[in-house]
Amino acid sequence: MKKAAASPAPAATVVLAVAALLLSSAVAAVSGQQQPKQTADNNPRLQKAYVALQALKRSITEDPKNLTTNWCGPDVCAYFGVYCTTAPDDPHSQTVAGLDLNHGDLAGTFPEELGLLSDLALLHLNSNRFSGTLPESLPKLRLLHELDVSNNRLTGGFPQHILCLPNVKYVDLRFNNLCGPVPPALFDKPLDAIFLNDNHFDFELPENLGNSPASVVVLANLRLRGCIPPSVARMAGTLNELVVLNAGLRSCIPQEVGWLRELTVLDLSFNELQGMLPESLAGLHKLQQLDVAHNELWGHIPEGVCALPSLRNFTYSYNYFCTEPQRCLDIRRVDDRQNCIAGRPDQRPTDQCLAFLHRPPVHCDEHGCFGPPTHY
């Protein structure tokens, strides 16, 4: 079974954020040349940051790369992974605005004192071995813009206090051991990206899914129920990538998916999708990658889908499609194996195809959700 790849926050985002922090620090240095260096000894904000960072250091049980070795003394702005800049409400005061310990292989837990970092904009702690839960003090980080705690060992339910962060735009919780439902209110947040994949979340896609302005939504390797709600059409102007692979999705593919005109990646593979591939997908003119493999789709492949101008990778193997237009085979990367397409190599046995086609037909409503069974 394929897995959604782990990755840190987009490199461009991190580079631009750090550059902004360093630039503002340089400007502050020029304008305050006669001022003494600000440390925890003479700056109350840095004093609070000192308390928070020392608490985090004590909570770290393993630091194989010695990332926190220089976390000593009052000069917290010199600590590895700590980025300072001018305070947003005081041009004469320095504050901690970023903490980046990505890929540190650190083991430990998150102390409540992290809430003292009240000016923090970036919290990047992915690819470590932090366990337990996010601190209850998290809502005190009211300026937090990016939260990345992916690829750790966090447990418990969805951290509801994320919903209390007024300025957060990027949330990455993937590759942890979080479980239970995901609150529908998450999709009302003005997030640029939502990564929930590779956890043990178990929930039904909410009706307000389409309220999200996110450009990337990854819900892979979860336990989803229900169907893709018709509100997804409201994401037409913003959504670039929708990945819902191996998520237990059991429905037809709704016509509304074909209205997501900005979509470049659509991966619905390894689910229990049934019915036919909707003709509306021919409207996804920016689509580059389409994967619907390992489902129970049948019928014909719409010619308009294979004619999409940007499509470079089309995978529809391990379904029950009967026909495909010749132009599908002209796509750079196409995989039509294990279907029921006459004359193509590596297809399902004839008796398997006949048995599938003689099953009672699945009835889906106009939005792709399973309706009541048809009786004869």
Side-chain angles (χ1 to χ4, degrees), residues 150-164:
S150 61
N151 199 21
N152 278 284
R153 299 177 181 179
L154 301 180
T155 55
F158 180 89
Q160 299 270 353
H161 31 307
I162 287 177
L163 302 177
C164 301

Side-chain angles (χ1 to χ4, degrees), residues 46-116:
L46 297 182
Q47 170 60 29
K48 289 198 301 180
Y50 173 82
V51 173
L53 295 170
Q54 290 303 314
L56 177 59
K57 183 177 181 179
R58 289 192 300 271
S59 298
I60 293 173
T61 56
E62 293 182 36
D63 182 3
K65 298 183 180 180
N66 298 316
L67 300 186
T68 62
T69 298
N70 77 330
W71 283 27
C72 299
D75 190 5
V76 296
C77 295
Y79 289 6
F80 178 84
V82 175
Y83 300 93
C84 292
T85 189
T86 304
D89 57 348
D90 184 354
H92 304 294
S93 181
Q94 289 284 293
T95 192
V96 172
L99 177 59
D100 187 343
L101 296 173
N102 284 348
H103 300 279
D105 197 26
L106 299 165
T109 57
F110 296 128
E112 287 298 322
E113 288 87 347
L114 282 180
L116 294 172

Side-chain angles (χ1 to χ4, degrees), residues 161 257 288 293 314 345:
H161 31 307
V257 172
Q288 300 174 17
F314 186 14

Side-chain angles (χ1 to χ4, degrees), residues 21 43 52 56 88 99 102 114 125 149 181 184 195 282 293 297 311 320 323 328 355:
L21 291 174
N43 180 325
L56 177 59
L99 177 59
N102 284 348
L114 282 180
L125 299 170
V149 290
F195 294 99
L297 301 170
L311 191 61
Y320 293 89
T323 61
C328 293

Side-chain angles (χ1 to χ4, degrees), residues 17-303:
V18 172
L21 291 174
L22 295 177
L23 179 60
S24 60
S25 296
V27 171
V30 171
S31 62
Q33 291 176 352
Q34 305 305 317
Q35 300 298 320
K37 184 173 186 177
Q38 296 186 26
T39 69
D41 288 338
N42 58 18
N43 180 325
R45 294 175 189 262
L46 297 182
Q47 170 60 29
K48 289 198 301 180
Y50 173 82
V51 173
L53 295 170
Q54 290 303 314
L56 177 59
K57 183 177 181 179
R58 289 192 300 271
S59 298
I60 293 173
T61 56
E62 293 182 36
D63 182 3
K65 298 183 180 180
N66 298 316
L67 300 186
T68 62
T69 298
N70 77 330
W71 283 27
C72 299
D75 190 5
V76 296
C77 295
Y79 289 6
F80 178 84
V82 175
Y83 300 93
C84 292
T85 189
T86 304
D89 57 348
D90 184 354
H92 304 294
S93 181
Q94 289 284 293
T95 192
V96 172
L99 177 59
D100 187 343
L101 296 173
N102 284 348
H103 300 279
D105 197 26
L106 299 165
T109 57
F110 296 128
E112 287 298 322
E113 288 87 347
L114 282 180
L116 294 172
L117 297 171
S118 55
D119 294 325
L120 203 65
L122 307 176
L123 182 56
H124 292 169
L125 299 170
N126 78 48
S127 304
N128 286 291
R129 289 177 286 138
F130 286 109
S131 59
T133 60
L134 292 176
E136 292 296 324
S137 60
L138 192 69
K140 295 180 180 179
L141 308 184
R142 300 190 63 79
L143 300 182
L144 194 64
H145 186 82
E146 295 184 6
L147 174 64
D148 186 354
V149 290
S150 61
N151 199 21
N152 278 284
R153 299 177 181 179
L154 301 180
T155 55
F158 180 89
Q160 299 270 353
H161 31 307
I162 287 177
L163 302 177
C164 301
L165 296 169
N167 290 295
V168 70
K169 298 294 184 184
Y170 177 94
V171 173
D172 195 342
L173 301 176
R174 56 187 155 170
F175 292 97
N176 278 289
N177 295 307
L178 301 169
C179 62
V182 170
L186 178 69
F187 300 100
D188 290 327
K189 296 282 291 180
L191 300 173
D192 293 331
I194 300 175
F195 294 99
L196 301 179
N197 55 286
D198 294 87
N199 279 285
H200 304 297
F201 292 129
D202 184 343
F203 66 105
E204 184 171 339
L205 288 175
E207 286 299 322
N208 67 326
L209 173 67
N211 291 354
S212 174
S215 62
V216 179
V217 176
V218 183
L219 304 175
N221 301 314
L222 302 175
R223 300 168 186 166
L224 298 182
R225 289 174 275 108
C227 54
I228 300 174
S231 68
V232 72
R234 295 203 295 269
M235 306 174 79
T238 56
L239 190 61
N240 300 135
E241 298 186 20
L242 178 61
V243 179
V244 197
L245 73 89
N246 188 36
L249 204 58
R250 194 167 182 271
S251 69
C252 298
I253 301 175
Q255 293 287 336
E256 288 86 350
V257 172
W259 302 348
L260 300 173
R261 61 180 182 274
E262 299 298 320
L263 213 58
T264 60
V265 175
L266 176 60
D267 191 337
L268 302 175
S269 60
F270 289 92
N271 284 292
E272 298 177 51
L273 297 173
Q274 300 189 35
M276 301 177 71
L277 208 59
E279 298 278 350
S280 64
L281 297 186
L284 302 177
H285 294 291
K286 295 185 179 180
L287 195 65
Q288 300 174 17
Q289 178 179 328
L290 173 59
D291 193 340
V292 294
H294 290 269
N295 282 289
E296 296 184 5
L297 301 170
W298 62 281
H300 69 281
I301 301 291
E303 182 153 1

